[in-house]
Amino acid sequence: MRKPTRTLLAAALVLGVAAGPAALSPAVAAPAPAAAATAPASPDLSAVLAGLPRADATAALVRVGGTEGVWRGSAGVRDLESGAPADPAGRFRAGSVTKVFTAATVLQLAAEGRIDLDRTARSYLPELIPGRYATVTVRQLLNHTHGIPAPDFPGTTVEEWYEHRFDVHEPEELVRSATAKPREFRPGTRQHYLNIGYTIAGLVVERVTGDAFEEQVGKRILRPLGLRDTYLPGREAGIRGPYNHGYQLMRREDGTTGLRDVSVWRATDGWAAGDLISTTADLERFTRALFGGGVVRGPLLEEMFTLPEVTDFRSGEPAAYSAGLSVKRLGGRDVWGKTGGRWGFNATIASTRHGERTLVYSVNSTDAKGQSMNRTALELMLATYGQPSE
């Protein structure tokens, strides 16, 4: 949900997505392997999945739910070599959807009095956060108003990243690289969406609990909610269990351009900001619980639905990110959620504020982490909720 409303609208018009949200069926049926849905009354969503695999995506898994009805579908292939139908229960890399789990973990600790959102990150990590960032608070880490720039990485193109796909990036090293640079702006005055704030937040969790970040997420969220197919992989490069392969369009050694299987790839550069692996069923359960107050409770839940009163560092538009979530106005109502991208994979969780309509998808996109939103992902979002509106 990083696209400005004007850009989303322009893209929707080019793609010809229907102006209104899809009608849904109140009944649930088990999704079949390819382009199967629970409701023939949802033509827009069915049309989005028709024709997969295609140039922008090799597979897609979709679950729409909430009090307004249910729709489920899957399409495409498990892998291009076999051409087997996509597995609706397959795991995938959820990318920055991880930030929602991290924010929820921090907010739970805040509810217990173990983290103070207004306390500085340096007070928790004095040996790691230098004086130039002494005033950055935990809340500013979560809502991207901290002013800390991104760390340095080896490469700027997908081809360069691919050569380093098995590198291990320690979170402390990422923080040192980022905080060695001048700040982008005075903390609390602008918003710039970056991973680094969540890397620091993960380290704060470890410092106050004396426990691994992964174990805290497991204790607090994964096991209580029964998210058995969701995990944080650490240094593992592969995906456990069944999954639909991710492919990325990139330049080959001979100078031609084509798809490369990028499913096996260490995600230590993302860690608490972006390494989660999950399924659509698990993320749908998490989304329902989160928006229903079953993960973060009371006043602290409102942190996830409160935007800082600042403007975006690059665009100058009003801030769109809260603690863990972002918001867009679609179909005449606010839709909150989080997108995520890893090479070969795009994912989203989204919901109206009180869970009337939820959306979870995994798209095996060939242009993940590109400058514009993947076509299939965009069409799914707009078919579910409707056109952008001011």
Side-chain angles (χ1 to χ4, degrees):
M1 295 189 183
R2 303 178 194 179
K3 301 290 288 179
T5 298
R6 290 192 299 274
T7 308
L8 267 175
L9 180 57
L13 293 174
V14 169
L15 294 172
V17 177
L24 305 177
S25 166
V28 183
T38 65
S42 303
D44 302 331
L45 286 162
S46 296
V48 173
L49 297 186
L52 288 176
R54 54 177 177 246
D56 72 296
T58 58
L61 314 176
V62 186
R63 297 173 77 97
V64 179
T67 57
E68 295 177 353
V70 172
W71 191 94
R72 295 178 186 172
S74 64
V77 295
R78 191 170 308 175
D79 62 85
L80 293 176
E81 289 70 26
S82 71
D87 182 353
R91 288 186 172 122
F92 52 84
R93 300 190 186 278
S96 286
V97 173
T98 310
K99 292 182 176 70
V100 191
F101 288 73
T102 302
T105 299
V106 171
L107 293 173
Q108 283 191 13
L109 287 163
E112 296 165 10
R114 301 173 74 181
I115 288 179
D116 183 342
L117 298 182
D118 293 316
R119 187 175 165 185
T120 66
R122 192 180 190 208
S123 69
Y124 293 104
L125 304 166
E127 78 291 353
L128 193 59
I129 307 298
R132 69 166 57 92
Y133 294 107
T135 64
V136 172
T137 67
V138 175
R139 179 179 281 105
Q140 290 165 351
L141 297 176
L142 298 182
N143 66 20
H144 305 282
T145 61
H146 46 74
I148 304 172
D152 293 324
F153 287 107
T156 57
T157 67
V158 62
E159 292 83 8
E160 291 169 334
W161 274 90
Y162 183 77
E163 291 301 315
H164 291 273
R165 66 192 181 279
F166 296 128
D167 289 1
V168 173
H169 303 276
E170 297 292 349
E172 293 87 353
E173 293 174 3
L174 297 177
V175 175
R176 290 189 187 100
S177 172
T179 57
K181 304 176 186 180
R183 65 190 190 187
E184 293 185 324
F185 48 82
R186 184 164 54 86
T189 63
R190 305 290 290 276
Q191 185 174 76
H192 187 190
Y193 178 88
L194 290 171
N195 282 351
I196 190 63
Y198 278 74
T199 301
I200 299 172
L203 291 171
V204 171
V205 168
E206 293 195 331
R207 179 59 55 87
V208 302
T209 63
D211 200 1
F213 169 76
E214 294 85 351
E215 183 60 23
Q216 281 294 305
V217 174
K219 287 178 181 177
R220 294 172 174 277
I221 300 174
L222 305 187
R223 292 194 284 278
L225 294 182
L227 307 184
R228 296 180 180 85
D229 292 314
T230 301
Y231 68 99
L232 297 160
R235 296 187 179 189
E236 292 180 31
I239 301 174
R240 302 175 198 165
Y243 65 92
N244 302 309
H245 288 235
Y247 297 88
Q248 189 75 27
L249 187 68
M250 65 175 72
R251 188 178 63 255
R252 300 191 182 101
E253 289 78 2
D254 62 3
T256 61
T257 300
L259 294 179
R260 189 187 294 271
D261 191 329
V262 292
S263 306
V264 179
W265 194 311
R266 281 200 180 104
T268 54
D269 59 293
W271 192 52
D275 72 348
L276 191 80
I277 292 173
S278 191
T279 64
T280 54
D282 270 10
L283 289 184
E284 184 179 57
R285 178 178 293 186
F286 171 72
T287 302
R288 288 199 308 265
L290 180 72
F291 281 73
V295 179
V296 180
R297 297 172 175 83
L300 284 167
L301 178 58
E302 291 309 308
E303 290 285 337
M304 306 189 83
F305 299 99
T306 302
L307 300 177
E309 295 182 359
V310 298
T311 57
D312 183 82
F313 176 58
R314 298 195 183 281
S315 70
E317 295 188 358
Y321 294 92
S322 62
L325 301 175
S326 63
V327 64
K328 289 294 179 188
R329 189 80 177 167
L330 299 175
R333 56 186 175 176
D334 288 342
V335 177
W336 293 85
K338 189 72 194 72
T339 59
R342 295 293 305 181
W343 303 115
F345 300 88
N346 280 128
T348 277
I349 66 170
S351 180
T352 51
R353 177 63 183 86
H354 299 292
E356 297 90 349
R357 181 166 294 196
T358 63
L359 168 66
V360 172
Y361 67 64
S362 165
V363 174
N364 295 70
S365 55
T366 61
D367 57 356
K369 300 175 76 69
Q371 293 301 307
S372 58
M373 191 171 181
N374 174 268
R375 170 192 167 185
T376 298
L378 174 63
E379 289 185 350
L380 288 170
M381 182 68 69
L382 298 180
T384 302
Y385 292 108
Q387 291 288 340
S389 54
E390 297 296 339

